Amino acid sequence: MIKIAMIGSKDFCERTARLLDPNSDISLVSYIYEHPKEAKSIIPTLTPCDAILFSGSLPYHVSLDELEKLQIPAVYLKQNETAIAMTLLYLSTTRHVQLDAISIDIREPIHMTHVLNDLGQTVTMPYIHPIHPEETIETITDFHLSLYRDGKTVMAVTSIHAIYERLVEQQVPAMKMIDPESNILQTLEEAKQKALYVRSKSSQIAVGLIRPLTMLNSAEEEAAELAGLLHGHAIASENGHSVFTTLGNIDKVVSTTAFQKLFQRLSSKAHLAFGAGESTIEASQHAEQALSLSRRPDEFYVLDGSKQLRGPLPDHMDDRIDMQVQNPIMQEMAEKTKLSPANLSKVMQFGKFRNAKQFSANDLALYMNVTRRTAERIIKKMSECGYIKIAGEEMTYKQGRPRALYELNFPLW
């Protein structure tokens, strides 16, 4: 069973539960709020689950800070053009309300424009209020209320259950945006598939290699303690220790205080690296590769079964480098430039980090943690193939020639 925590209004949670097939392999647990911004405080109260489903974009976005602390996927019900079209169809055929007499709050106003354009005729737009995550419920409620009291509208349509209840209290004719059943079921399926992916990746076999800095160092005590933290077991070898566990256990443990203290002790005696894969042989090979990349004992890398390299840890938990070519653009670049997938991946990440700004060879060297000469060689190879172009020059503070400035000349996404 895939256990999904639903965070939303009572109406949303009850409707979603009714739509779920009784024979489904999804189990739903409801966490009901009165106000969307309460979602953030709900996150720390969740019992163990495989994924989180939010009723909309507003509760999802206000919870992002808390979600970053979790290692499970989160999705939200997206308000698309189908939802808007169904709502407008209902208003025109059942309520017989003209569009220009409607006030509506929506996350993406462009969806409304697309729906009206698809009608193929000139129509007057309703009064639209774009929803922003930091906006208060009172502001959106006042938008609908003032238009109705001024006689400009006869109906308010809202995407937020709390606003609907407030409008009803103020005796304003209101309705909630219709969420099509298909949208809800598709979002549930999305949450399920993401949960299955995370579960399969977490269950990968992982091996941690501990290699003493010198023959005089013994890390036997630390290896046993690490195995205990990782719910695995340690085996001594001629050149150190191997700790067998799963990738999921590593993900859960490396950010804990207990591991940080252990690693501080261990780094004075030995190098550490982790590898994961479909078998212990593959995991051990990946751990050896990760170990070969470690330059200092106070940092370590994790190379998973997809050849994604994480680290250096513990300071760079979210940094990931592709050690094999899968992207067609990167594959072509690797063939032309003869650069390694790791270096190309770092350059691509550098481009995203710089947000398409001009850069110098020194900027690239600092980001990649390589010498300036190495960065210049990478730039030269990519320039010869047209993937980097000269954008100008930068005067230095000291005497000497101006430094060349470059721009990346390939898609980053």
Side-chain angles (χ1 to χ4, degrees):
M1 293 291 287
I2 299 296
K3 186 177 179 181
I4 299 176
M6 287 190 298
I7 300 178
S9 65
K10 182 180 179 182
D11 182 65
F12 170 81
C13 292
E14 289 180 348
R15 185 184 179 208
T16 303
R18 287 196 302 269
L19 289 175
L20 189 66
D21 188 326
N23 299 318
S24 171
D25 55 358
I26 294 175
S27 171
L28 298 176
V29 181
S30 299
Y31 293 85
I32 297 170
Y33 58 62
E34 296 294 329
H35 188 295
K37 292 192 175 181
E38 295 172 11
K40 184 175 182 178
S41 61
I42 290 176
I43 299 296
T45 71
L46 298 180
T47 56
C49 58
D50 298 299
I52 304 173
L53 167 64
F54 290 89
S55 61
S57 59
L58 184 56
Y60 170 80
H61 283 98
V62 300
S63 304
L64 284 176
D65 289 344
E66 291 296 325
L67 290 174
E68 288 178 358
K69 302 174 185 177
L70 305 180
Q71 294 176 343
I72 56 175
V75 300
Y76 64 90
L77 184 64
K78 296 176 179 63
Q79 190 180 77
N80 57 18
E81 293 167 18
T82 303
I84 294 172
M86 287 187 65
T87 302
L88 296 181
L89 178 64
Y90 172 81
L91 286 170
S92 62
T93 58
T94 305
R95 298 287 187 92
H96 306 291
V97 179
Q98 296 296 317
L99 287 182
D100 57 0
I102 297 170
S103 61
I104 185 169
D105 57 70
I106 51 179
R107 174 73 177 162
E108 300 287 348
I110 190 64
H111 291 325
M112 175 69 75
T113 303
H114 290 162
V115 170
L116 297 180
N117 287 343
D118 288 340
L119 293 176
Q121 55 186 355
T122 304
V123 292
T124 305
M125 292 279 283
Y127 294 92
I128 298 175
H129 183 91
I131 300 173
H132 300 288
E134 65 278 3
E135 199 167 23
T136 64
I137 294 295
E138 289 73 22
T139 301
I140 305 174
T141 304
D142 288 342
F143 160 75
H144 293 290
L145 191 59
S146 60
L147 286 170
Y148 177 74
R149 287 179 174 172
D150 291 343
K152 295 179 180 178
T153 60
V154 298
M155 175 66 68
V157 179
T158 180
S159 306
I160 302 170
H161 187 82
I163 293 176
Y164 168 76
E165 291 182 339
R166 294 191 181 201
L167 290 172
V168 171
E169 288 175 2
Q170 296 287 338
Q171 297 184 333
V172 176
M175 68 170 285
K176 290 170 285 186
M177 182 77 73
I178 296 173
D179 291 319
E181 291 184 4
S182 59
N183 285 5
I184 296 175
L185 293 174
Q186 285 171 8
T187 308
L188 276 175
E189 183 64 21
E190 179 188 359
K192 171 187 167 181
Q193 293 303 325
K194 287 187 174 182
L196 286 172
Y197 174 76
V198 170
R199 184 183 286 181
S200 66
K201 200 161 187 178
S202 295
S203 62
Q204 281 186 1
I205 297 168
V207 175
L209 295 181
I210 299 173
R211 295 284 165 79
L213 299 177
T214 68
M215 294 294 291
L216 299 176
N217 292 121
S218 173
E220 184 175 354
E221 183 181 337
E222 287 78 11
E225 190 174 336
L226 180 62
L229 283 176
L230 295 172
H231 297 281
H233 66 278
I235 296 177
S237 61
E238 292 182 2
N239 53 1
H241 288 81
S242 296
V243 178
F244 294 85
T245 181
T246 65
L247 186 59
N249 288 344
I250 294 172
D251 289 337
K252 292 172 186 174
V253 166
V254 293
S255 60
T256 63
T257 304
F259 176 83
Q260 301 291 342
K261 290 180 178 179
L262 171 61
F263 181 64
Q264 196 170 19
R265 290 185 1 241
L266 180 62
S267 61
S268 65
K269 298 180 178 180
H271 282 285
L272 173 67
F274 290 100
E278 297 300 320
S279 66
T280 54
I281 294 175
E282 184 180 56
S284 297
Q285 290 172 345
H286 288 171
E288 290 283 1
Q289 286 181 259
L291 193 66
S292 68
L293 296 169
S294 180
R295 298 181 180 181
R296 304 179 344 216
D298 62 346
E299 65 180 29
F300 66 94
Y301 290 90
V302 179
L303 183 61
D304 66 23
S306 302
K307 288 281 190 176
Q308 271 204 334
L309 184 72
R310 309 181 199 176
L313 282 72
D315 294 331
H316 300 273
M317 296 287 292
D318 298 321
D319 287 4
R320 296 170 189 264
I321 298 168
D322 289 319
M323 300 298 285
Q324 67 179 0
V325 177
Q326 291 179 321
N327 186 317
I329 294 174
M330 281 187 63
Q331 187 171 6
E332 180 183 322
M333 290 170 64
E335 291 173 357
K336 289 183 177 180
T337 63
K338 307 304 179 186
L339 291 171
S340 69
N343 279 333
L344 288 174
S345 181
K346 287 180 181 179
V347 173
M348 188 171 284
Q349 286 188 3
F350 172 72
K352 295 176 183 178
F353 173 77
R354 296 282 296 184
N355 197 22
K357 293 178 183 176
Q358 297 174 350
F359 64 93
S360 66
N362 194 51
D363 293 328
L364 183 61
L366 289 172
Y367 183 86
M368 294 182 64
N369 194 26
V370 296
T371 64
R372 178 169 174 163
R373 181 168 293 184
T374 299
E376 287 173 342
R377 283 200 296 266
I378 292 172
I379 290 171
K380 183 175 183 294
K381 288 183 177 182
M382 297 186 72
S383 297
E384 290 172 350
C385 299
Y387 295 118
I388 287 180
K389 62 182 181 180
I390 297 176
E393 291 183 334
E394 177 183 56
M395 295 301 296
T396 60
Y397 292 105
K398 299 179 182 179
Q399 291 183 347
R401 292 183 302 172
R403 293 188 300 188
L405 293 176
Y406 305 95
E407 285 182 355
L408 299 181
N409 193 34
F410 62 90
L412 296 175
W413 310 99

